């Protein structure tokens, strides 16, 4: 018992170290311009935040306020502008427009999501595996770059992970308390409100788990289930139905119906190439294999996440191979699978190799596995400095007026 408590304490300390590493690499080059990752998408959020901020200012020239409002009105508002509201509120507190505040908010959100991932992975795997899953989530170079962007996705991923943690606990109980039901439903509703896409993963995990456990009829008779569903659907449903009616359609966002049977093979190849390039082939294979190795109790939950991801991919088929950040939700799914596979491998290695030399070898492997992605991510961040472009654009703005 004492040994297990000691092991958990060490694992928690190592996880805190991983959190600090993950946040530290993301804080590197924090104040650079948001042009390093899908610049047009980040500038869209920056323009919305600026327009919102300027509408509350009285001590700026009228033309400047009108220009900011015009730029704000020119931006299509798809999901609720939560990130932009946070940025504009921070601008008002700071007394000036500070772009890196939005980047810092995204970093904090992604890091908070890592806590939920670690807690969830600890239920699927042993402490060694949970640490590997957290390391993948925190140190994957693509994840490092994408989780700093001025986009709602890092916040969305964090909310989804905390929702999955509560949903997993809710599914384990045959008669869950209303407190857990309400908190899970509200968090599901918030996740879907922030962006529609979490619905694929959350409802996928919920539905697949009930089917896997054979509890569909039992849950359908439970008021807790319907309370959960109503809370999960209502906020996002009201908002997006309203947006759809105002906009008059889904535009380019929803492209599932554009895929013909002859286009599907090419789409799948492009999708696979995109995910392999940014997430790693080994991680894809091992992450998927983790579903097979999972305990029977947990397998339905993981299957639901993968089914949700596949449905999500076909629903946003155009963006899956043209916009790499649409693969961000796969990072925590792979991390959970990697936790299961790596946890079993490390446990077996330690039980069969008790010598100091073998454990030193394992420590060396861990060091290299952490050093390489950190060095790669730093190289990507340091590869280009966009600050020298500021005087050029300021001069051009003065000329254009």
């Amino acid at each position: 018992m004492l040994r297990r408590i000691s092991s958990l304490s060490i694992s928690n300390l190592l996880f805190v170290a991983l959190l600090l590493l993950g946040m530290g690499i993301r804080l590197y080059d924090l104040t650079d311009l948001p042009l390093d990752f899908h610049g047009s998408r980040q500038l869209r959020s920056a323009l919305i935040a600026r327009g919102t901020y300027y509408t509350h200012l009285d001590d700026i020239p009228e033309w400047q306020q009108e220009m900011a409002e015009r730029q704000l009105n020119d931006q299509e508002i798809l999901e609720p502008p939560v990130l932009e509201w946070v940025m504009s509120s921070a601008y008002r507190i700071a007394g000036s427009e500070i772009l890196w505040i939005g980047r810092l908010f995204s970093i904090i959100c992604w890091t908070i999501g890592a806590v939920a991932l670690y807690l969830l992975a600890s239920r699927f795997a042993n402490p060694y595996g949970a640490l590997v899953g957290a390391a993948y989530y925190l140190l994957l170079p693509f994840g490092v770059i994408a989780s700093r962007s001025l986009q709602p996705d890092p916040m969305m991923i964090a909310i989804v992970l905390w929702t999955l943690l509560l949903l997993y606990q809710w599914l384990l109980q045959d008669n869950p308390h209303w407190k857990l039901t309400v908190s899970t439903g509200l968090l599901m509703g918030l996740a879907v409100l922030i962006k529609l896409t979490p619905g694929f993963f959350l409802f996928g995990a919920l539905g697949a788990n009930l089917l896997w456990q054979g509890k569909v009829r039992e849950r359908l008779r439970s008021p807790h289930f319907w309370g959960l569903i109503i809370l999960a659907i209502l906020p996002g449903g009201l908002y997006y139905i309203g947006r759809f009616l105002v906009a008059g359609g889904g535009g380019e966002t929803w492209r599932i119906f554009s895929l013909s049977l002859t286009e599907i093979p090419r789409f799948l190849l492009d999708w696979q190439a995109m995910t392999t390039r940014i997430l790693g082939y080994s991680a894809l294979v091992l992450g998927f294999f983790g579903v097979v190795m999972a305990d029977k109790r947990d397998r339905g939950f993981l299957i639901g996440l993968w089914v949700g991801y596949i449905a999500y991919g076909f629903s946003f088929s155009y963006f899956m191979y043209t916009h790499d950040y649409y693969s961000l939700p796969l990072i925590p799914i792979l991390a959970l699978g990697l936790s299961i596979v790596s946890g079993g491998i490390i446990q077996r290695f330690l039980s069969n190799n008790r010598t100091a030399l073998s454990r030193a070898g394992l420590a060396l492997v861990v060091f290299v596995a952490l050093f390489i992605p950190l060095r790669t991510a730093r190289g990507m961040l340091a590869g280009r400095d966009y600050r020298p472009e500021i005087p050029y654009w300021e001069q051009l703005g003065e000329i254009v007026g």
Side-chain angles (χ1 to χ4, degrees), residues 169-222:
Q169 295 173 346
W170 187 87
L171 287 167
L172 288 180
Q173 301 181 18
D174 293 328
N175 187 27
H177 296 292
W178 272 109
K179 183 179 180 180
L180 179 60
T181 299
V182 171
S183 57
T184 305
L186 288 175
L187 210 51
M188 286 180 73
L190 177 61
V192 176
L193 177 63
I194 294 296
K195 213 168 183 181
L196 269 177
T197 51
F200 290 97
F201 311 102
L202 299 176
F203 289 108
L206 174 62
N209 187 272
L210 295 181
L211 288 171
W212 184 262
Q213 299 292 341
K215 295 182 179 180
V216 176
R217 291 185 179 180
E218 176 185 339
R219 293 289 188 177
L220 288 177
R221 291 193 293 265
S222 170

Side-chain angles (χ1 to χ4, degrees), residues 14-26 110-115 138:
L14 291 174
F15 172 66
V16 171
L18 279 175
L19 277 181
L20 295 176
L21 276 177
M23 177 167 276
I25 189 62
R26 286 168 172 81
W110 191 269
T111 306
I112 291 173
V115 179
L138 285 166

Side-chain angles (χ1 to χ4, degrees), residues 16 50 53 86 167 171 182 186 194 199 214 272 305 331 333 356 396 400:
V16 171
R50 170 188 284 178
Y53 169 56
V86 170
L167 182 62
L171 287 167
V182 171
L186 288 175
I194 294 296
Q272 179 270 329
L305 292 177
I331 293 178
I333 297 175
L396 183 62
V400 175

Side-chain angles (χ1 to χ4, degrees), residues 3 37 44 54 62 86 103 186 201 215 234 268 273 288 293 298-299 314 319 322 324-325 330 389 392:
R3 180 178 296 179
F37 182 81
R44 173 182 172 273
Y54 277 19
E62 185 177 348
V86 170
R103 176 173 284 168
L186 288 175
F201 311 102
K215 295 182 179 180
L234 194 59
L268 291 175
F288 187 79
M293 291 186 60
D298 304 326
R299 202 170 297 153
F314 275 94
F319 296 103
T322 60
D324 51 12
Y325 60 84
L330 188 54
E389 297 187 15
Y392 167 77

Side-chain angles (χ1 to χ4, degrees), residues 127 230 253 282 286 290 295 303 375 397:
I230 291 172
T253 303
S282 298
L286 295 176
D295 291 342
I303 289 173
R375 187 176 185 277

Side-chain angles (χ1 to χ4, degrees), residues 301-341:
F301 193 86
L302 294 170
I303 289 173
L305 292 177
W306 277 98
V307 170
Y309 175 71
I310 293 171
Y312 159 72
F314 275 94
S315 299
F316 297 93
S317 54
Y318 172 73
F319 296 103
M320 294 309 296
Y321 64 89
T322 60
H323 293 60
D324 51 12
Y325 60 84
Y326 270 72
S327 296
L328 273 175
L330 188 54
I331 293 178
I333 297 175
L334 291 178
L336 291 174
L338 285 170
S339 298
I340 298 168
V341 175

